[in-house]
């Protein structure tokens, strides 16, 4: 009996040793357990080591420690000395993960994703959970930074079961932030897994028109997906959305000029607004009463607000005139919540009841910055018109681009067409310009190589001259990212041909002719099919925003899918637009795939 017990013990010990020998640590490799060693000591040991593999392991450990201490520059330098091919697969995964983390500190999402394409990543599932989590989370961050929002959300949903505590909560909120930022067309998923559930939740919230409908949609979704992680714990923005006190909006004053220079603009805004009103009515909703007030006949804003309050108005939409908006922004309080259809000065902080919405060129400049960065471009040159408008657009672009790691290498202010060729040659440092492909001495013509793309804010007529001149000045390969001002929406194929290759941001209204409301409006007002369509879209969105201002104020990360753009609210209560993209190709306008909204 004793002999049998001894034999059983020996067999158990052998099995335990075999299990240890086949553990992930021994098969895949692990860092040396030297918790007290400094980066310098690890590097010294690496230098003294006679084993190239051991030296690489020690250097990887030193790079990892430097990164954890916040010294990304030194960590990158050390990691470059690691011979990754000498490492075991588990350490190759760690090196790739660390490389991706360091690339993200440089705002280089594409380099991060490239680092995570190492063949060793196929064995990631064999590593301990904490190492798997680290790799999956950096991949999710890199995908998001690269504009692959759907893939980033999927990655976070995949890693969620491995997380606990604060990390699980943060990942839960990050999943909602990602899926909540996606356009409706990307939320269609007929699956039954957790990822499909997240998408259907976002679709339910986005598809609901009013705050009450959104709250009801959340309740319905939770009842239908009781076991889903988001049903067990609603994301914080949705908890806040559920808690918002909602008073039905029954009366709105639409304050727009009927005479003067802005009468035509106001007419398009008003017609778009009322088109949305009638659409809501036809859909069975009970829209508020609309009082249309002529702001061009106002003698006193105080008198207007007193009369509006007396008539039971709950929200004012307007004015359009910038001087009136400035007057409102200068006040400490307003008697009623007001959605102005223009902006006051950029440094003017208005009263808490004032919201501001318009087709700001600055929004488009920031959109160019975002899109170029999402496309992996980091060095820009700019061409903008001379004058205050051009300066504002350039400043908005520069601030956003440089704040996110980009560099504005050069800028030219366009004025006289006769100077255009020389301005472009100067901006690009073109040598032997205008002498053909080679000079008489045989020297090859060239331009500076530190520019990744050109930011263009110009009229269609200017763009027609600029793009061919860029081609002539040896810069035909430089991507051009433009604001919507280059697009006349005239359907002029000859004009579009001259701008082939230019990418530009534009309102969904002008890029999606299949929208039912747009089709209805264009049938009644054909001018809405051209550049005036932007104003009709803004009018439609003003109606939509009326019921969403409280939501956007309470939930800074929430957005509204509008026809003038994807709408959010800044800390100063200005509605900011993010826009889809298109490019001119062979005389046609071609829609480009979306990136991060």
């Amino acid at each position: 009996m004793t002999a049998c017990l001894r034999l059983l013990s020996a067999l158990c010990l052998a099995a335990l040793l075999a299990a240890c020998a086949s553990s992930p640590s021994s098969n895949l490799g692990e860092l040396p357990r030297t918790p007290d060693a400094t980066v310098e000591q690890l590097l010294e040991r690496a230098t003294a080591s006679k084993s190239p593999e051991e030296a690489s392991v020690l250097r990887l450990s030193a790079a990892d420690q430097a990164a954890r201490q916040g010294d990304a520059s030194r960590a990158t330098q050390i990691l470059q000395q690691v011979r990754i091919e000498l490492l075991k697969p588990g350490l190759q995964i760690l090196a790739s993960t660390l490389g991706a983390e360091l690339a993200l500190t440089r705002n280089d999402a594409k380099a991060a994703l490239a680092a995570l394409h190492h063949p060793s990543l196929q064995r990631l599932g064999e590593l301990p959970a904490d190492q798997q989590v680290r790799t999956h989370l950096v991949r999710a961050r890199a995908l998001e930074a690269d504009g692959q929002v759907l893939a980033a959300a999927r990655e976070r949903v995949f890693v969620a079961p491995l997380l606990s505590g604060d990390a699980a909560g943060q990942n839960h909120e990050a999943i909602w932030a990602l899926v909540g930022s996606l356009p409706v067309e990307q939320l269609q998923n007929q699956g039954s897994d957790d990822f499909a559930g997240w998408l259907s939740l976002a679709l339910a919230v986005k598809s609901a028109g009013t705050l009450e409908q959104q709250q009801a949609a959340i309740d319905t979704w939770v009842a239908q997906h009781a076991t889903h992680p988001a049903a067990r714990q609603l994301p914080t923005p949705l908890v806040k959305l559920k808690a918002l006190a909602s008073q039905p909006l029954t009366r709105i004053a639409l304050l727009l000029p009927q005479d003067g220079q802005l009468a035509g603009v106001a007419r398009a805004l008003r017609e778009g607004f009322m088109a949305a009103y009638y659409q809501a009515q036809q859909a069975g909703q009970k829209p508020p009463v609309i009082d249309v007030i002529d702001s061009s006949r106002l003698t006193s804003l105080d008198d207007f607000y007193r009369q509006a309050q007396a008539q039971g108005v709950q929200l004012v939409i307007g004015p359009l005139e910038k001087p009136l908006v400035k007057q409102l922004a200068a006040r400490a309080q307003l008697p009623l919540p007001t959605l102005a259809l223009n902006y006051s000065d950029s440094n003017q902080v208005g009263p808490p009841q004032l919201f501001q919405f318009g087709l700001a060129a600055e929004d488009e400049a920031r959109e160019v910055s975002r899109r170029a960065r999402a496309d992996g471009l980091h060095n820009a040159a700019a061409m903008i018109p001379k004058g205050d408008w051009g300066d504002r657009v350039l400043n908005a672009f520069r601030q956003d681009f440089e704040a996110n790691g980009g560099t504005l290498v050069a800028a030219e202010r366009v004025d006289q067409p006769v100077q255009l060729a020389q301005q472009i040659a100067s901006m690009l440092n073109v040598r032997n310009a205008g002498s053909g492909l080679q000079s008489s001495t045989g020297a090859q013509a060239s331009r500076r190589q530190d520019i990744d793309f050109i930011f263009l804010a110009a009229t269609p007529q200017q763009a027609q001259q600029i793009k061919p001149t860029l081609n002539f000045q040896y810069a035909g390969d430089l991507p051009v990212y433009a604001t919507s001002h280059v697009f006349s929406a005239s359907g002029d194929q000859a004009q579009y041909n001259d701008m082939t290759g230019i990418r530009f941001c534009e309102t969904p209204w002008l890029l999606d002719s299949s929208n039912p409301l747009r089709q209805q409006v264009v049938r009644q007002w054909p001018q809405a099919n051209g550049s005036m369509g932007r104003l009709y879209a803004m009018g439609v969105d003003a109606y939509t925003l009326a019921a969403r201002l409280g939501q956007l104020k309470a939930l800074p990360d929430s957005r509204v899918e509008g026809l003038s753009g994807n709408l959010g609210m800044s800390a100063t209560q200005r509605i900011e637009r993010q826009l889809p993209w298109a490019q001119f190709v062979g005389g046609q306008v071609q829609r480009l795939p979306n990136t991060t909204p």
Side-chain angles (χ1 to χ4, degrees):
M1 182 70 177
T2 303
C4 289
L5 288 174
R6 286 175 180 169
L7 178 60
L8 182 60
S9 298
L11 289 172
C12 288
L13 179 60
L16 180 62
L17 290 173
C20 290
S22 61
S23 69
S25 296
S26 58
N27 282 345
L28 299 180
E30 60 183 356
L31 292 178
R33 293 185 174 88
T34 52
D36 298 325
T38 65
V39 173
E40 290 76 11
Q41 289 170 336
L42 289 168
L43 292 176
E44 288 173 3
R45 286 178 54 188
T47 301
S49 175
K50 295 182 179 179
S51 164
E53 179 183 357
E54 181 187 40
S56 287
V57 172
L58 289 165
R59 289 191 177 98
L60 176 58
S61 182
D64 190 46
Q65 190 172 138
R68 292 177 188 276
Q69 293 171 357
D71 193 345
S73 176
R74 190 177 190 200
T76 301
Q77 185 180 20
I78 297 170
L79 186 61
Q80 290 172 345
Q81 301 173 30
V82 173
R83 295 179 60 185
I84 191 170
E85 74 278 4
L86 299 179
L87 301 175
K88 290 184 176 179
L91 293 181
Q92 290 181 336
I93 293 172
L94 174 58
S96 299
T97 302
L98 178 58
E101 291 168 342
L102 293 171
L104 288 183
T105 67
R106 304 189 301 272
N107 295 312
D108 193 343
K110 294 194 181 301
L113 292 173
L116 294 170
H117 272 97
H118 194 274
S120 61
L121 270 294
Q122 295 176 7
R123 301 187 64 179
L124 178 60
E126 301 175 43
L127 291 180
D130 60 333
Q131 295 180 43
Q132 292 186 47
V133 164
R134 180 176 175 181
T135 301
H136 282 300
L137 289 182
V138 73
R139 181 184 283 135
R141 288 167 50 214
L143 287 167
E144 180 181 2
D146 193 48
Q148 300 182 55
V149 180
L150 195 67
R154 190 186 296 276
E155 191 77 19
R156 285 192 176 274
V157 171
F158 178 83
V159 77
L162 298 177
L163 299 171
S164 60
D166 290 344
Q170 292 168 6
N171 189 63
H172 192 75
E173 299 296 330
I175 293 171
W176 173 251
L178 290 166
V179 297
S181 72
L182 288 167
V184 169
E185 59 267 20
Q186 292 190 37
L187 296 174
Q188 310 292 338
N189 190 310
Q190 302 303 316
S192 58
D193 58 0
D194 282 353
F195 182 63
W198 280 106
L199 296 183
S200 68
L201 174 58
L203 181 61
V205 174
K206 282 177 176 282
S207 299
T210 65
L211 178 59
E212 294 85 356
Q213 290 169 335
Q214 286 183 315
Q215 292 169 333
I218 294 170
D219 288 338
T220 301
W221 184 90
V222 168
Q224 294 172 345
H225 301 79
T227 61
H228 192 277
R232 295 195 297 267
Q233 176 58 60
L234 274 179
T236 300
L238 297 189
V239 173
K240 291 181 179 178
L241 184 64
K242 290 276 294 170
L244 278 177
S246 178
Q247 180 184 4
L249 193 58
T250 58
R251 198 173 199 100
I252 291 174
L254 183 59
L255 183 63
L256 290 170
Q258 294 182 21
D259 293 308
Q261 291 183 336
L262 293 175
V265 172
R267 186 181 306 111
L269 290 171
R270 184 169 58 252
E271 289 168 351
F273 183 92
M274 295 309 298
Y277 170 89
Y278 289 120
Q279 183 192 52
Q281 200 172 53
Q282 292 165 6
Q285 299 176 23
K286 190 177 179 181
V289 174
I290 309 298
D291 296 329
V292 179
I293 310 296
D294 184 0
S295 60
S296 60
R297 298 183 183 275
L298 277 185
T299 57
S300 166
L301 281 170
D302 291 325
D303 289 345
F304 160 74
Y305 276 107
R306 274 193 292 268
Q307 185 176 357
Q309 283 181 300
Q311 292 175 341
V313 168
Q314 298 159 291
L315 173 68
V316 176
I317 295 184
L320 172 63
E321 301 93 324
K322 198 174 187 74
L324 290 179
V325 179
K326 287 184 176 181
Q327 287 184 43
L328 296 179
R331 299 189 176 198
Q333 298 286 328
L334 294 181
L336 290 170
T338 300
L339 176 63
L341 298 180
N342 207 330
Y343 296 99
S344 61
D345 293 334
S346 59
N347 58 354
Q348 193 173 13
V349 179
Q353 299 84 5
L354 180 63
F355 305 87
Q356 301 175 53
F357 174 43
L359 303 180
E362 291 90 336
D363 284 345
E364 299 191 18
R366 287 184 283 267
E367 176 62 35
V368 171
S369 166
R370 184 200 65 78
R371 178 74 192 217
R373 287 184 283 106
D375 290 344
L377 306 177
H378 305 288
N379 298 308
M383 298 192 72
I384 42 89
K386 282 186 177 179
D388 177 66
W389 185 88
D391 289 344
R392 288 191 288 109
V393 170
L394 180 61
N395 287 338
F397 172 79
R398 177 192 284 117
Q399 288 171 10
D400 189 85
F401 196 60
E402 293 182 347
N404 288 281
T407 302
L408 181 61
V409 177
E412 284 289 335
R413 289 166 172 79
V414 179
D415 187 16
Q416 299 297 327
V418 294
Q419 299 174 352
L420 190 59
Q422 184 55 48
Q423 284 182 294
I424 291 177
S426 174
M427 181 178 71
L428 300 175
N429 288 349
V430 174
R431 293 185 293 275
N432 298 320
S435 57
L437 291 178
Q438 290 186 325
S439 71
S440 58
T441 61
Q444 185 74 33
S446 62
R447 61 167 175 83
R448 65 191 303 170
Q449 297 298 310
D450 59 344
I451 296 173
D452 296 333
F453 74 102
I454 291 175
F455 163 49
L456 178 63
T459 65
Q461 293 73 27
Q462 290 171 325
Q464 276 184 282
Q465 296 173 321
I466 288 171
K467 188 61 173 77
T469 306
L470 286 170
N471 297 343
F472 181 72
Q473 298 286 14
Y474 317 103
D477 59 328
L478 269 183
V480 178
Y481 288 68
T483 61
S484 67
H485 305 89
V486 302
F487 182 45
S488 64
S490 65
D492 183 349
Q493 185 170 344
Q495 183 184 71
Y496 297 169
N497 269 326
D498 289 338
M499 296 187 285
T500 288
I502 293 181
R503 304 175 183 185
F504 62 97
C505 55
E506 184 51 87
T507 58
W509 180 279
L510 289 182
L511 293 184
D512 182 11
S513 59
S514 65
N515 181 276
L517 179 57
R518 180 190 188 279
Q519 292 177 340
Q520 183 179 336
V521 169
V522 168
R523 280 195 296 270
Q524 188 165 357
W525 297 292
Q527 65 271 24
N529 198 42
S531 59
M532 288 291 286
R534 299 180 183 113
L535 294 170
Y536 282 87
M538 181 181 163
V540 171
D541 287 352
Y543 179 86
T544 304
L545 287 168
R548 300 289 190 94
L549 291 175
Q551 170 198 344
L552 292 175
K553 184 173 182 178
L555 307 173
D557 292 332
S558 61
R559 305 196 69 84
V560 172
E561 290 281 347
L563 293 178
S564 66
N566 184 283
L567 310 176
M569 185 182 293
S570 73
T572 56
Q573 299 190 173
R574 295 178 177 229
I575 303 300
E576 296 180 338
R577 300 178 302 135
Q578 293 178 343
L579 299 169
W581 281 80
Q583 66 179 343
F584 296 108
V585 179
Q588 302 296 322
V589 174
Q590 181 183 85
R591 180 77 177 262
L592 292 173
N594 289 326
T595 59
T596 311

